DNA sequence: TACAACGATGTTAGCGCTAACATGTTAGCG
DNA sequence: CGCTAACATGTTAGCGCTAACATCGTTGTA
């Protein structure tokens, strides 16, 4: 047994060099070394140089966890989306990531799989990581999640759709988008359009577009028809959608799909079946994915500015984090009807 | 000036309830409250119950940063990919995420934009977050990055391609995939195939496939032809690729595209131009994306098991983190030639 | 009956960093 | 030349949590 008084308990921690060691090598105090990293202007150039050399020499990697604990703020932004399978969210994430990374923030990505209980759990975890702000897709949350978000005293951004948001909100009016496409179809003379979506209670934004579609049809005295599929967005499921429409509504003259994946799948399938589009049946989508612009005939769809939505959302959050005033907490990014030859 | 001895300096930190407060309410010490969260079995059921109630009552959210600092391990897994625009990486990420999340790990996602300097910086940042392991796409790193990864004393998984990995490695042999497709094309009787890729030094795996393609052609005494495009994977760029082949190599009878996005774009463009595929020109891709299976004619391509690759990679890393032996640090997930009608 | 073994809980001492406050040093100015 | 402001750097005390070690009762067993 050692009698060495200085030897107390077992050492813990990693075996990485620490700021204190860097400081010792550079012959300064650790706070000066800290300032070299966090506020270099406040340190004399020659001192700074010595500290940087010491860091280089020791292979120092700053322990960001310790820094976050001490300063009570991390540079994390929590981003919570319902799915990674859907290109739409990926593109929003790209916009968010580009903007946040440029500002020195790291994204913590969470995937709810369209389950708001899971979302609540993710919010708790991310708050536990002292994230600086939270960005979440959609306005639908559990009551407990809503409470957490309201009381967490950080910027909270809800993206994708517009509505009764709790803090910041960037998105578009999905119901209006549904109305827009329905008006287009009626304007083109179609009299028996069918809306085809999948799991509309999960993908409730598609449900909102259906609500708009339905509203327009009812106002014109046309009965709204709906087919609900199982898979959210795949070419294959779109083909199935086309077949179901033919089976259930043989008189249908147009299909308003909930998204471009389904619509493109139907379009490609129609080609195989030898159906003329729009002669035998018109097809419309939503999203404005590149694919829809590359099929024949080109797909009529609604373009949503997804990456721009991510960027704008991130900018608003950054403004809030910089304590700049946010004049418009709610921003409508709009959408564009893109006329193809499929209607 | 206050003379109160207990009042020292300004309070810092968040204003969230702490474990100590929970412990006080529950009438236990804070380590007991800590154990309720981290090792519930070690705490008497009735005590545990009281602690949980206190947590609920105070709305306690564990400070994971403090926990990570104290225990010198976070439950982060760093995942570094070159792009989010490419479905391929998204699918690998999906596989990784599903597996890691189920095991209670949080993914830290980094995007290098095909820049290995950026990768090095991301590795530093993620090491600073005390990530438990790192997963990175590819074997190409800066020397400094390689050193960081070698010395960080954590599992390091390199995914996508096989080769001289530093620790764990899950992927497929891209050169062999290139050979496989080239052999297929020669076997079908094509004698002037052109390889079309984009930015092959960035997307060096596509470059490796080209190397395989080239090797097979040269062995048969056929001159390898190459066209290099600017954009990595878009339908539009594929269409451009087709046009460039026609312009530069009018005698070409087949195009071996670096990926399915390019190939599908070319296929759809051929349709518009009224070109017969494979009559006028054969088209092949790589990846096995759903789109390729939905165009007409169906695309001949090579299927890579991307989500499975992510899952397998995550399982290997988890095994290492659990101190279980990893018998095969390098695993080949293979690929499958999928014959369509486009060749 | 003694004592090891175990279970439940507590005490102590940091993890590596930075906010707040403190001190010393130099420049600027009437 | 004295005073202040601005700059450069240091000292101290945690941030909230958990590893390591300590303690105490309760069993089981020789």
């Amino acid at each position: 047994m050692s009698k060495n008084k200085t030897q107390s308990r077992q050492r813990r921690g990693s075996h990485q060099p620490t700021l204190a060691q860097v400081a010792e090598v550079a012959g300064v105090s650790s706070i000066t070394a800290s300032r070299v990293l966090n506020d270099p202007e406040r340190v004399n150039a020659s001192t700074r140089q010595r500290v940087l050399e010491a860091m280089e020499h020791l292979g120092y990697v700053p322990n960001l966890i310790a820094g976050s604990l001490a300063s009570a703020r991390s540079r994390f932004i929590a981003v919570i989306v319902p799915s990674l399978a859907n290109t739409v969210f990926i593109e929003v994430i790209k916009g968010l990531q580009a903007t946040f990374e440029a500002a020195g923030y790291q994204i913590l990505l969470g995937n709810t799989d369209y389950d708001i209980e899971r979302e609540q759990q993710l919010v708790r975890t991310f708050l536990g990581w002292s994230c600086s702000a939270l960005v979440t897709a959609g306005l639908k949350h559990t009551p407990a999640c809503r409470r957490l978000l309201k009381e967490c005293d950080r910027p909270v951004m809800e993206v994708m759709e517009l509505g009764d948001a709790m803090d910041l909100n960037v998105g578009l009016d999905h119901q209006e988008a549904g109305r827009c496409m329905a008006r287009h179809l009626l304007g083109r003379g179609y009299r028996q359009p069918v809306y085809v979506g999948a799991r509309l209670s999960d993908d409730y934004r598609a449900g909102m577009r259906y609500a708009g579609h339905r509203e327009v049809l009812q106002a014109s005295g046309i009965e709204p028809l709906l087919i609900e599929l199982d898979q959210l967005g795949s070419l294959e499921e779109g083909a199935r959608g086309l077949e179901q429409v033919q089976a259930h509504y043989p008189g249908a003259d147009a299909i308003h799909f909930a998204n471009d994946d389904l619509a493109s799948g139907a379009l490609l399938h129609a080609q195989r079946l030898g159906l003329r589009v729009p002669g035998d049946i018109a097809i419309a989508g939503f999203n404005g994915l590149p694919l829809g612009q590359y099929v024949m005939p080109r797909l009529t769809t609604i373009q949503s500015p997804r990456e721009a939505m991510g960027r704008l959302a991130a900018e608003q959050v950054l403004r809030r984090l910089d304590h700049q005033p946010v004049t418009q907490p709610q921003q409508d990014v709009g959408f564009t009807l893109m006329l193809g030859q499929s209607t």
Side-chain angles (χ1 to χ4, degrees), chain A:
Chain A
M1 285 153 240
S2 162
K3 273 110 206 165
N4 189 337
K5 271 179 148 180
T6 61
Q7 182 239 301
S8 54
R9 44 191 67 201
Q10 207 77 39
R11 278 305 302 288
R12 287 189 283 155
S14 64
H15 308 276
Q16 299 270 331
T18 69
L19 246 200
Q21 290 171 37
V22 168
E24 202 185 333
V25 169
V28 296
S29 73
S30 54
I31 190 70
T32 301
S34 167
R35 286 199 265 255
V36 167
L37 291 174
N38 299 311
D39 199 356
E41 300 302 304
R42 284 171 61 81
V43 178
N44 182 295
S46 68
T47 312
R48 185 165 62 219
Q49 191 52 36
R50 247 183 314 134
V51 172
L52 288 172
E53 276 162 14
M55 286 178 175
E56 176 68 25
H57 176 67
L58 291 174
Y60 173 71
V61 177
N63 184 325
L64 301 171
I65 292 191
S68 298
L69 179 60
S71 65
R73 56 188 161 68
S74 75
R75 293 189 72 86
F76 282 133
I77 305 284
V79 173
I80 300 176
V81 295
S83 162
L84 289 182
N86 191 330
T87 326
V88 170
F89 297 116
I90 300 290
E91 291 184 31
V92 174
I93 291 170
K94 273 167 62 188
L96 290 166
Q97 217 206 17
T99 312
F100 279 126
E101 265 194 33
Y105 286 88
Q106 167 64 42
I107 280 185
L108 277 180
L109 188 59
N111 177 353
T112 69
D113 275 319
Y114 289 96
D115 176 355
I116 56 174
E117 294 291 338
R118 177 102 192 85
E119 180 191 51
Q120 180 186 325
Q121 199 195 317
L122 283 168
V123 166
R124 282 183 66 86
T125 305
F126 291 155
L127 288 176
W129 284 114
S130 298
C131 61
S132 306
L134 296 101
V135 179
T136 167
L139 298 167
K140 213 172 144 189
H141 316 286
T142 64
C145 181
R146 192 173 286 278
R147 202 176 324 122
L148 280 171
L149 290 173
K150 268 196 177 135
E151 289 169 5
C152 70
D153 197 32
R154 277 162 256 213
V156 173
M157 165 63 77
E158 291 165 285
V159 286
M160 303 310 289
E161 78 254 28
L162 294 171
D164 184 22
M166 47 184 84
D167 184 11
L168 301 166
N169 185 203
V170 166
L172 56 95
D173 183 340
H174 286 260
Q175 196 159 347
E176 183 56 29
R179 281 191 212 106
C180 171
M181 183 59 83
R183 277 192 215 107
H184 164 74
L185 292 174
L186 296 188
R188 300 283 291 169
Y190 301 107
R191 283 298 167 266
Q192 222 186 114
V194 185
Y195 189 91
V196 177
R199 292 169 54 194
L200 295 185
S201 59
D202 288 333
D203 184 7
Y204 65 93
R205 279 175 285 272
M208 291 163 80
R209 296 194 290 275
Y210 174 57
H213 168 100
R214 183 175 164 151
E215 192 188 308
V216 168
L217 264 64
Q218 287 175 331
S220 303
I222 295 177
E223 190 197 356
L225 304 174
L226 174 68
I227 284 194
E228 205 166 341
L229 303 167
D230 295 326
Q231 283 175 47
L232 284 166
S234 76
L235 296 169
E236 208 178 334
E237 193 74 351
R240 212 167 295 140
L242 173 60
E243 298 206 331
Q244 289 201 22
V245 166
Q246 292 190 297
H248 291 86
Y249 306 115
D253 53 6
I255 311 182
H256 180 177
F257 278 98
N259 59 58
D260 279 6
D261 298 275
L262 295 174
S264 305
L267 214 53
L268 292 168
H269 192 58
Q271 252 174 37
R272 301 181 188 200
L273 297 178
L275 281 172
R276 286 170 303 127
V277 175
D280 296 318
I281 196 153
I283 290 179
F286 176 82
N287 273 336
L289 297 188
L291 173 57
Q293 304 313 298
Y294 257 73
V295 289
M296 287 252 289
R298 196 143 51 75
L299 184 65
T300 294
T301 186
I302 284 178
Q303 173 74 42
S304 59
R306 296 176 293 281
E307 212 169 317
M309 182 154 64
R311 275 198 305 273
L312 180 60
E315 283 160 12
Q316 295 273 88
V317 169
L318 287 173
R319 202 162 293 143
R320 177 65 61 83
L321 288 171
D322 275 353
H323 307 288
Q324 290 172 34
V326 175
T327 48
Q328 294 210 14
Q330 184 166 70
Q331 297 229 3
D332 187 349
V333 292
F335 56 81
T336 320
L337 178 64
M338 291 175 78
L339 295 178
Q341 285 87 46
S342 69
T343 52

